[in-house]
Structure formats: C-alpha cells, structure tokens
Amino acid sequence: MTAELSRTQPDEDRRLVLRCLGLALAGGAGTMLLSSFGRPALAADVPAKPVWPKDAFTCKDEASALKALGWEAPVASDKITLVLPEIAENGAVVPVSITAAMPDVRSIAVMIPDNPFTLTALFPLAAGTAPDIACRVKMAKTAKVVAIVAAGGKLYSATRDVKVTLGGCG
C-alpha cells in the first residue's frame, strides 16, 4: 500500500500546485482589470479630437472651399505629380494618385469644381509622412481635377482634365 501512495501522491501534489497557480493568475488578472475600470480616464487615454472641416465639404465652388479651409489661392507647381486616367469609363470610381516632391507637406486636398460639392478628399499628413496618396473619387461629368498641396506654409496645385463617359455623382 505504501507503494501506491507514493505513486499517487506526486500526481495529486502536481494537480494542487497547478490549481493554485491557475487561481492566482486568474485573481491577478481580475484585480488588474478591475483597477483599470475604477480609475478616472487620463488625458493620454483620450484620443485628440480631429479637426474636421465639415463646412469645406459642403461648398459648391473652389473659392468657397478654400476659404472654409482657411487657405488662400494656390500657386501652380511642377513638383506635384497628379496621376489620373485621361478617360474614365465610370465616374463612380476614378483612381487618383498624388505625389509631392517638396519638404514639409502637411496636407493634400482633391477638388473637382464641377462636382456637386467641390472638395472631394482631404488628407492631413503627420510630420515625416511621405506625401504620396492614392484614392478613388466620384465625378459627375467630364471635368478638371485639382490637387492642392499645403507645404512649408504655402499652397501649391496641379490640374488635370478627365473625360467621364458614365457619370457617377447624381
């Protein structure tokens, strides 16, 4: 009988140790979870509210959209590469690619003056981010597409015409 006890005793001891370890880990995790719910939110926990220019997206013309963004008229630049198809078969999905070869780019905007709402896209960029964006826009009809780049405290633009065979806005 002593031989049986010595064989089962280590198994029972191991199970007891594992059970106690599991309870201790579960209790520690529960304590950490409850302590995080019980404390007030810190400023670092709350994401900063982004500044979204809602009024700029409702403007019907380029001048109003620029004014709503707090921007002046941009200057044409050859340092902006605006890639668009010459003919868009479907105005609902027109691919746009914009790259700026200038330092300190803070934002890139896409405007289509002939659309119902001129400002189509706005991309704020964090410092050090590569000024290279790609998206798809909707176009109501054949029109020009304007890329506006805010860099170094100034505004620059590039323009391309796109012929739309099937309108996508309206």
Side-chain angles (χ1 to χ4, degrees), residues 72-160:
E72 300 291 325
V75 176
S77 174
D78 60 348
K79 292 185 178 183
I80 300 171
T81 305
L82 177 57
V83 179
L84 291 157
E86 289 182 26
I87 299 174
E89 293 179 12
N90 185 355
V93 286
V94 179
V96 177
S97 176
I98 303 168
T99 306
M102 50 189 71
D104 194 31
V105 174
R106 293 320 220 149
S107 62
I108 298 174
V110 179
M111 292 193 185
I112 305 172
D114 290 342
N115 268 2
F117 300 107
T118 300
L119 182 60
T120 306
L122 179 64
F123 300 92
L125 302 175
T129 303
D132 184 6
I133 62 111
C135 64
R136 293 174 189 247
V137 298
K138 285 187 172 187
M139 295 183 68
K141 57 186 178 181
T142 298
K144 71 176 182 171
V145 175
V146 181
I148 300 176
V149 175
K154 297 179 182 176
L155 294 173
Y156 304 95
S157 69
T159 305
R160 293 256 336 250

